[in-house]
Amino acid sequence: MPPRELFFTIWHHAGLWVALVLFLLPLRRRTAPLWRTLPGAAVCVALRVLLRAPLTACGVPGVWGYFLVSFLLTAAVAALWADISPAAVFYCAVWAMTVYYIADSAALTLGHALSGLPPLLACLAPLALVAAFYLAVALTLARFMPVDHNYQIGPRQMTAAFLLLALVLMLVQLSRTYWYRENDWALWVFPLLIEVYCATLLYLQHELFKKSYIQQDLDLLNQLWARQKAQYALARRNIALINRKCHELKHQIRAMHAMFGEEKADYLDELEQSVRIYDAIAKTGNEVLDTVLTEKSLLCEAEHIQCHCVADGHLLDFMDPVDLYNIFANTLDNAIEHVRGIADPERRIIDVLVYAENKLLAIRISNPVSDMPRYGSDGLPVSTKPDDGVHGLGLRSVRHSVQKYGGFLTARVEDGCFHLRILLPVRA
């Protein structure tokens, strides 16, 4: 087989999988993706090679059948590798096929232009062009299009992507049937330009939908932030009322002790025990932290959960009260949700630490877990509650608040305990 023909044979069967890999690498992978994907990819490559000749020999319907087979096999490999939704799998396949056929057309066009040169040079020049094109795609489109290592694809975006891919494939089919049989340079370049134009439209519509998705996400976070603001104001009033009433009751009980002596001592002791909640009100040096810790401590007491806190509240004085309430309220709610399901009362424990470490402010909330949490594409645990549009936003809202102050959040499970750690730069 001549070198030029060998090159294009290898390219036709390998180029699509290389294009697919470019779009899979930035995405969240499944467990052991290589062991899962390699056998499936080998089967898909074999099927693509075996079906190419009989399908393309059937004329135009066979060519479109081959396009469909290639698309489905590409989507199958993407599903084996990436931990993404079915819509995102098909979207990756759309982009992989679009990029592959643009590179293929560019290689054929350049190979035609250099057909008068020595065979080795005529092969290496298109290969260098394709390699440069794939590198540019890997460093730009494939790298920056995903959001949190995933694609959020809706029906309208998917429909538009299918239509643009169909247009690219139609151009490919027409090029090979009519235009590539002519020696006119313009007839070779024209379909390539249209294919690039279709890819540009595909990218622009992706960015528009991506911007819309990010805006919707931000609107939800802002709504949650406003809700936390109102909840903080209510909690602050309630805790202040509890504080005042319990303080008054303690003095009244002491007066009643002096009045009745030992006559009703047992009754008064029981009454005094019931209002000792006043003594449990947190005093960390930060009013907002005291409010949220007291609020959640009352909930912990009702659920028979031990909540231990060691915190220097003065370290948090630079933070906006609503951001501070948002961080602790959401993280403690998640911890309580995990711990309340533990059967052993001795393991229903939540530890809260706030301290300075190496010029950083560290916040750590730990609690035992009975089951390993499932993590989403953003690296945060996925909510186990029904998805009503709000559940699952808590930790994302916390991370948003943390990032406002130049910090970062990590969540991991070690030795049967879930540890949520927040690091913030210490403000002078």
Side-chain angles (χ1 to χ4, degrees):
M1 182 181 293
R4 185 168 178 272
E5 185 178 346
L6 177 62
F7 164 75
F8 283 113
T9 300
I10 296 173
W11 166 250
H12 278 300
H13 293 306
L16 178 58
W17 309 111
V18 176
L20 178 62
V21 168
L22 299 180
F23 288 92
L24 292 181
L25 287 177
L27 302 180
R28 182 173 177 83
R29 306 169 192 175
R30 295 186 182 275
T31 305
L34 288 178
W35 294 109
R36 179 192 298 269
T37 308
L38 286 179
V43 172
C44 291
V45 170
L47 288 173
R48 193 169 186 268
V49 173
L50 292 174
L51 294 175
R52 178 180 175 83
L55 286 176
T56 53
C58 297
V60 174
V63 171
W64 281 100
Y66 177 70
F67 286 154
L68 178 60
V69 168
S70 295
F71 177 79
L72 294 178
L73 293 177
T74 304
V77 175
L80 290 172
W81 173 275
D83 186 13
I84 54 179
S85 66
V89 165
F90 287 116
Y91 194 69
C92 282
V94 167
W95 267 105
M97 291 193 68
T98 300
V99 168
Y100 161 66
Y101 280 112
I102 289 176
D104 185 43
S105 297
L108 288 173
T109 302
L110 185 59
H112 172 71
L114 302 177
S115 57
L117 298 178
L120 181 61
L121 182 60
C123 289
L124 290 179
L127 181 61
L129 175 64
V130 169
F133 178 64
Y134 273 13
L135 180 62
V137 170
L139 296 177
T140 54
L141 298 180
R143 181 181 178 185
F144 295 114
M145 285 197 310
V147 178
D148 293 328
H149 308 289
N150 197 1
Y151 289 105
Q152 302 293 335
I153 307 300
R156 290 185 300 164
Q157 186 176 0
M158 195 75 254
T159 302
F162 278 139
L163 290 175
L164 289 171
L165 175 61
L167 182 56
V168 170
L169 296 179
M170 185 182 300
L171 288 167
V172 169
Q173 195 270 333
L174 291 174
S175 299
R176 283 151 180 74
T177 304
Y178 301 107
W179 294 320
Y180 286 172
R181 296 176 183 232
E182 304 292 335
N183 290 323
D184 188 354
W185 173 261
L187 291 178
W188 285 68
V189 175
F190 174 73
L192 175 60
L193 293 178
I194 301 300
E195 290 170 20
V196 172
Y197 178 70
C198 291
T200 303
L201 287 179
L202 184 60
Y203 172 73
L204 290 177
Q205 65 98 12
H206 172 83
E207 288 300 307
L208 288 175
F209 279 101
K210 178 180 175 181
K211 182 179 179 181
S212 175
Y213 166 76
I214 293 175
Q215 185 60 49
Q216 291 176 5
D217 200 34
L218 184 60
D219 290 342
L220 284 175
L221 290 177
N222 287 334
Q223 293 175 17
L224 186 60
W225 189 88
R227 184 184 300 180
Q228 293 286 5
K229 182 177 180 180
Q231 187 175 346
Y232 165 65
L234 178 62
R236 185 180 179 184
R237 291 195 299 269
N238 290 340
I239 296 302
L241 178 61
I242 292 173
N243 189 340
R244 185 172 65 252
K245 292 298 182 182
C246 288
H247 186 73
E248 293 173 356
L249 281 172
K250 287 184 69 175
H251 287 290
Q252 292 172 4
I253 291 171
R254 288 173 184 169
M256 292 171 68
H257 263 297
M259 182 182 303
F260 295 109
E262 299 297 328
E263 183 180 350
K264 297 184 178 180
D266 292 340
Y267 171 75
L268 294 176
D269 288 341
E270 182 180 351
L271 184 60
E272 187 172 12
Q273 180 69 25
S274 67
V275 299
R276 280 183 182 173
I277 190 174
Y278 169 77
D279 295 326
I281 292 179
K283 297 177 178 61
T284 66
N286 183 287
E287 181 185 0
V288 180
L289 184 57
D290 291 347
T291 298
V292 67
L293 287 177
T294 301
E295 178 188 20
K296 302 308 175 185
S297 294
L298 298 177
L299 181 57
C300 286
E301 183 176 346
E303 298 286 346
H304 305 289
I305 297 171
Q306 303 176 52
C307 185
H308 304 147
C309 177
V310 178
D312 184 356
H314 296 293
L315 296 172
L316 303 167
D317 289 342
F318 67 92
M319 297 185 68
D320 181 272
V322 180
D323 287 329
L324 184 56
Y325 183 85
N326 177 45
I327 290 172
F328 281 94
N330 277 299
T331 53
L332 287 172
D333 282 341
N334 287 338
I336 292 171
E337 186 68 25
H338 281 98
V339 170
R340 64 156 48 111
I342 297 177
D344 185 2
E346 298 297 326
R347 295 186 63 237
R348 296 177 190 167
I349 301 172
I350 299 174
D351 291 325
V352 180
L353 297 176
V354 180
Y355 57 96
E357 179 183 31
N358 297 328
K359 297 184 179 179
L360 291 173
L361 168 60
I363 301 172
R364 192 176 72 184
I365 299 177
S366 306
N367 59 271
V369 290
S370 53
D371 299 314
M372 285 292 293
R374 187 169 63 90
Y375 293 88
S377 59
D378 55 4
L380 297 178
V382 176
S383 175
T384 57
K385 297 179 180 179
D387 185 10
D388 62 358
V390 177
H391 292 313
L393 284 177
L395 284 182
R396 288 164 62 190
S397 176
V398 171
R399 186 175 61 181
H400 181 69
S401 295
V402 169
Q403 289 174 344
K404 287 169 60 176
Y405 299 91
F408 61 91
L409 178 151
T410 59
R412 68 182 190 277
V413 175
E414 289 183 357
D415 300 326
C417 287
F418 178 80
H419 301 282
L420 189 138
R421 184 180 177 90
I422 296 171
L423 292 179
L424 296 165
V426 174
R427 300 296 177 90

